[in-house]
Amino acid sequence: MSDMFVLSEEHQAIREAVRAVAEAKIAPFAADVDEQARYPKEAAAALLAADFHAPHVPEMYGGAGADALATVLVIEEIARVCVSSSLIPAVNKLGSLPVMIGGDEQIKKTYLSRLAAGEGFSYCLSEPDAGSDAANQKTKAVRDGDDWVLNGVKRWISNAGVSEFYTVLAVTDPDKRTKGISAFVVEKSDEGVSFGAPEKKLGIKGSPTREVYLDNVRIPGDRIIGKEGTGFATAMNTLDHTRVTIAAQAVGVAQGALDYALGYMQERKQFGKKIADFQGLQFMIADMGMKVEAARQLTYAAAGRSERGDKDLTFFGAAAKAFASDTAMQVTTDAVQLLGGYGFTRDYPVERMMRDAKITQIYEGTNQVQRVVMARQLLNGVQSKL
């Protein structure tokens, strides 16, 4: 992908195909998914049937083999109508990318092929005392013969209980700090794995967020991802790539709110004319459109760097995630304002979009953490010289 961000015919076709699925088979259920705080089973079935549930999985493992930009387009278009549903491909990429980055061929073949067939994959990094301080892991993995035995608690795990597989970060050598953390694949069916009650959340209510409990979970030795002690580096590398998918979610929900506000403004009348004719509101909508497009271009630029593995991906991933999510929060809030009292009710989708947008500023690293990441990159001279 060039940095001119002109979508190829193939990428345009992917956008159109995802949009058709999203509007026909996901959007009609979005309000009920939110209201009932239930998993979007209709979206899950539709995405699996269209091979959009985990588009990043390489063709050699039975996946669609989508590049980073195509995956961004899939997530963006789904988030435009239902952010909860967009977490299906987003979390599948987050959970499985450590396997793709650090795993040997056997573990890739075993788990990526099953992911491509429809078994979900979640990511277990966060803990009660390890949120932004991700290195402060307490979960432990101890060798026992050829096996590993895991004990600990993981918190804020997206799609927990639904996914079949979990990338789990655990301490294997407490004396080596981050170089003593390793990554493993844990299966939902493993003895000793259990889940807490679903969190009662402000938004993304259709994506279950639960604690994952590991109580003497014994797994075969070949379920370690890469070499012992490489887990933390793999986890951070993963986030460089997947922050781009969060930016895509943010762009999608912002675009959805903008679309709805534009339609409303051209129908709603006050003082004898359409509210779209009032200059003050035109200024609002202009700012919304400008920021959404800026966020989209930055996200696509980051996707290109993700695909190529550029050295400045860390900066661009953090920048895209922070800028797009801040934009999503502002745009969705402004959409509620443009609808006035109607925007504040559940009869209209923008209040749901506003609630859903908030999480994009928080997960996969708060936007305060993203600014720390960006500052370090700039001070180290890593960012591209433009």
Side-chain angles (χ1 to χ4, degrees):
M1 185 188 75
S2 75
D3 281 346
M4 294 303 293
F5 321 133
V6 177
L7 296 184
S8 66
E9 290 185 6
E10 180 181 1
H11 285 124
Q12 287 281 15
I14 290 170
R15 182 192 288 283
E16 292 170 6
V18 180
R19 181 170 295 186
V21 171
E23 292 183 346
K25 299 183 178 181
I26 299 176
F29 303 100
D32 185 69
V33 163
D34 176 72
E35 190 70 28
Q36 302 300 323
R38 65 174 180 83
Y39 185 69
K41 60 183 185 297
E42 299 88 356
L47 293 174
L48 178 59
D51 213 5
F52 292 139
H53 67 293
H56 68 287
V57 176
E59 292 179 357
M60 64 186 297
Y61 304 113
D67 62 20
L69 177 58
T71 302
V72 158
L73 294 172
V74 170
I75 294 169
E76 177 188 344
E77 287 298 323
I78 300 169
R80 183 170 159 265
V81 300
C82 180
V83 180
S84 289
S85 297
S86 75
L87 278 151
I88 295 171
V91 171
N92 279 338
K93 180 169 183 176
L94 174 63
S96 64
L97 199 57
V99 173
M100 292 178 63
I101 291 172
D104 60 27
E105 186 55 35
Q106 184 56 48
I107 202 170
K108 289 179 182 178
K109 184 177 179 180
T110 299
Y111 289 105
L112 295 179
S113 59
R114 293 177 68 179
L115 173 59
E119 298 179 85
F121 222 127
S122 289
Y123 184 73
C124 296
L125 173 64
S126 295
E127 297 183 1
D129 295 318
S132 294
D133 183 11
N136 190 29
Q137 299 285 303
K138 297 293 191 296
T139 297
K140 290 183 171 57
V142 178
R143 284 186 183 273
D144 186 10
D146 292 333
D147 298 339
W148 290 93
V149 178
L150 280 67
N151 283 280
V153 178
K154 294 297 180 176
R155 179 168 287 178
W156 311 122
I157 308 307
S158 297
N159 289 351
V162 175
S163 295
E164 291 294 328
F165 312 125
Y166 300 81
T167 290
V168 174
L169 278 295
V171 176
T172 48
D173 188 338
D175 295 327
K176 292 184 178 179
R177 297 175 60 88
T178 58
K179 291 184 179 180
I181 296 173
S182 304
F184 302 86
V185 175
V186 172
E187 300 185 7
K188 182 169 71 171
S189 59
D190 288 332
E191 186 176 354
V193 175
S194 60
F195 304 94
E199 301 288 349
K200 297 178 180 179
K201 299 174 298 186
L202 174 73
I204 58 166
K205 293 183 178 182
S207 175
T209 304
R210 305 168 72 177
E211 288 188 326
V212 177
Y213 304 125
L214 305 166
D215 184 11
N216 289 322
V217 177
R218 180 179 294 272
I219 61 173
D222 61 5
R223 291 229 221 124
I224 190 169
I225 301 173
K227 294 181 179 179
E228 184 178 342
T230 62
F232 191 77
T234 297
M236 295 301 102
N237 191 1
T238 294
L239 292 177
D240 282 344
H241 292 275
T242 57
R243 282 168 179 155
V244 184
T245 66
I246 304 306
Q249 281 186 325
V251 170
V253 70
Q255 186 66 60
L258 175 59
D259 291 344
Y260 197 89
L262 283 168
Y264 181 86
M265 287 177 66
Q266 294 176 70
E267 293 181 0
R268 174 69 168 168
K269 291 185 177 181
Q270 290 287 276
F271 305 102
K273 58 182 179 180
K274 296 176 182 178
I275 64 171
D277 293 334
F278 293 105
Q279 189 179 60
L281 301 189
Q282 290 175 355
F283 286 177
M284 284 182 67
I285 211 79
D287 283 343
M288 292 162 72
M290 174 178 63
K291 290 175 182 177
V292 169
E293 193 54 45
R296 176 177 288 114
Q297 297 303 324
L298 182 53
T299 299
Y300 291 1
R305 284 163 171 81
S306 174
E307 184 65 26
R308 297 187 298 266
D310 289 354
K311 292 182 179 179
D312 56 2
L313 169 61
T314 299
F315 175 86
F316 272 84
K321 192 271 187 188
F323 185 81
S325 59
D326 284 348
T327 294
M329 196 68 246
Q330 182 174 357
V331 168
T332 55
T333 301
D334 285 348
V336 169
Q337 185 72 22
L338 284 166
L339 267 68
Y342 294 111
F344 202 66
T345 70
R346 294 186 182 180
D347 294 330
Y348 294 78
V350 290
E351 66 87 28
R352 165 171 51 85
M353 293 173 174
M354 183 181 74
R355 289 186 286 105
D356 287 346
K358 184 60 193 174
I359 191 61
T360 64
Q361 294 180 303
I362 299 172
Y363 60 10
E364 292 203 31
T366 66
N367 283 2
Q368 287 71 31
V369 167
Q370 303 311 314
R371 285 168 169 81
V372 171
V373 170
M374 285 185 279
R376 288 175 178 171
Q377 291 293 300
L378 291 169
L379 291 168
N380 289 334
V382 175
Q383 186 200 14
S384 295
K385 300 298 186 292
L386 302 179

